[in-house]
């Protein structure tokens, strides 16, 4: 399967308008945002676990990164409530599930093969700092290396947000909303800007909270699962 697989194009997906589709595991549904591959895939997805559902134990050969959007995600490492950001690097193994149910935003097979950095952050308790030259913006880095920078940003009501990303940009709207390219983005909306594109957005009247990843598209296509 190939879905939004041309990384040279701007892509916007409004997941709140999409239907859930079943995964191979009972009680686990998903909304695919981009994907190259079948069940083993380089993928960006919103996944919903019904109460009591779980996946079989598996190893992440290409790594896994996720943000818990609601409920409580669970595995052998513990309970991860809404707002938890987790990076499970290549060779990590777990049995994901949720007794109470949860929804997560997850990216698979997008790590460097030798990355072994494990990260767990609570995004509900971040020290947001004002980036230089970006009025109305508060930002906190969740993870950063030579390939990418992952962060949470809070945009003040009506703020004009300008970013010239290095290596592409990806945004998931978490709260509030914003306008970009004449298009409105609400919670659950996802935007991917290609290398060379500039973000010019305006936060809505209630402001906006977003998850952002910058730089990683320089390596898109080089991180595909082996066939």
């Amino acid at each position: 399967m190939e879905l939004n697989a041309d990384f040279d194009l701007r892509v916007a997906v409004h997941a709140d308008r999409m239907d859930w589709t079943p995964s191979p595991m009972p009680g686990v549904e998903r909304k695919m945002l981009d994907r190259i591959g079948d069940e083993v895939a380089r993928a960006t997805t919103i996944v919903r676990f019904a109460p009591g559902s779980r996946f079989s134990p598996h190893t992440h050969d290409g790594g896994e990164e996720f943000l818990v959007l609601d409920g409580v995600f669970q595995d052998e490492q513990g309970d991860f409530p809404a707002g938890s950001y987790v990076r499970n690097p290549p060779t990590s193994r777990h049995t994901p599930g949720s007794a109470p149910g949860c929804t997560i935003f997850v990216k698979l097979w997008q790590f460097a093969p030798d990355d072994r950095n494990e990260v767990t952050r609570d995004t509900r308790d971040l020290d947001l700092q004002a980036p230089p030259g970006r009025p109305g913006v508060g930002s906190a880095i969740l993870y950063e290396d030579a390939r990418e920078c992952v962060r949470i940003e809070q945009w003040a009501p009506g703020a004009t947000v300008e970013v010239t990303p290095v290596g592409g940009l990806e945004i998931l709207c978490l709260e509030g909303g914003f306008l970009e390219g004449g298009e409105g983005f609400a919670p659950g909306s996802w935007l991917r800007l290609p290398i060379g594109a500039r973000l010019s957005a305006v936060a809505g009247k209630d402001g906006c909270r977003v998850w952002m990843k910058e730089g990683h598209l320089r390596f898109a296509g080089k991180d595909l699962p082996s066939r």
Side-chain angles (χ1 to χ4, degrees):
M1 173 188 288
E2 291 196 357
L3 174 66
N4 295 324
D6 188 342
F7 299 105
D8 292 328
L9 299 179
R10 174 191 181 275
V11 176
V13 180
H14 303 283
D16 58 324
R17 305 174 193 170
M18 298 170 63
D19 293 330
W20 292 99
T21 59
S23 80
M25 303 304 293
V28 182
E29 301 172 301
R30 56 197 179 186
K31 297 180 179 183
M32 299 180 186
L33 307 181
D34 70 16
R35 195 173 190 92
I36 302 175
D38 296 316
E39 284 311 310
V40 177
R42 182 202 189 279
T44 304
T45 314
I46 296 176
V47 179
R48 182 171 69 179
F49 290 79
S53 63
R54 65 178 55 251
F55 267 98
S56 302
H58 58 269
T59 298
H60 289 291
D61 293 329
E64 172 196 59
E65 170 186 23
F66 66 86
L67 177 68
V68 182
L69 303 177
D70 64 48
V72 180
F73 177 91
Q74 297 170 313
D75 65 11
E76 294 88 341
Q77 305 305 313
D79 293 354
F80 300 92
S84 299
Y85 171 74
V86 177
R87 289 175 66 92
N88 292 321
T91 74
S92 60
R93 180 176 175 82
H94 69 163
T95 307
S98 179
C102 71
T103 305
I104 66 173
F105 169 74
V106 59
K107 298 178 69 65
L108 296 172
W109 212 288
Q110 298 178 39
F111 285 45
D114 59 352
D115 188 343
R116 297 294 181 269
N117 294 307
E118 297 182 5
V119 176
T120 301
R121 296 288 303 276
D122 183 353
T123 66
R124 300 168 300 176
D125 185 26
L126 295 172
D127 182 16
L128 299 175
Q129 300 292 320
R134 299 180 63 202
V137 174
S139 183
I141 293 175
L142 301 176
Y143 177 78
E144 186 173 23
D145 63 17
R147 291 168 57 99
E148 64 188 32
C149 177
V150 184
R151 57 191 184 266
I152 293 289
E153 291 198 351
Q154 186 76 41
W155 301 346
T160 297
V161 180
E162 303 281 350
V163 178
T164 303
V166 176
L169 186 69
E170 196 173 323
I171 301 174
L172 178 70
C173 183
L174 302 175
E175 299 173 8
F178 65 92
L179 289 172
E180 188 276 338
E183 188 171 3
F185 290 79
S189 293
W190 175 77
L191 172 67
R192 193 183 73 203
L193 296 178
I195 294 172
R198 177 177 174 81
L199 174 69
S200 182
V202 177
K205 63 181 180 62
D206 297 320
C208 190
R209 189 175 182 89
V210 298
W211 173 95
M212 301 178 71
K213 180 193 282 279
E214 178 180 346
H216 60 302
L217 294 184
R218 292 171 295 173
F219 307 95
K222 301 176 183 178
D223 49 10
L224 297 177
S226 56
R227 303 290 179 169

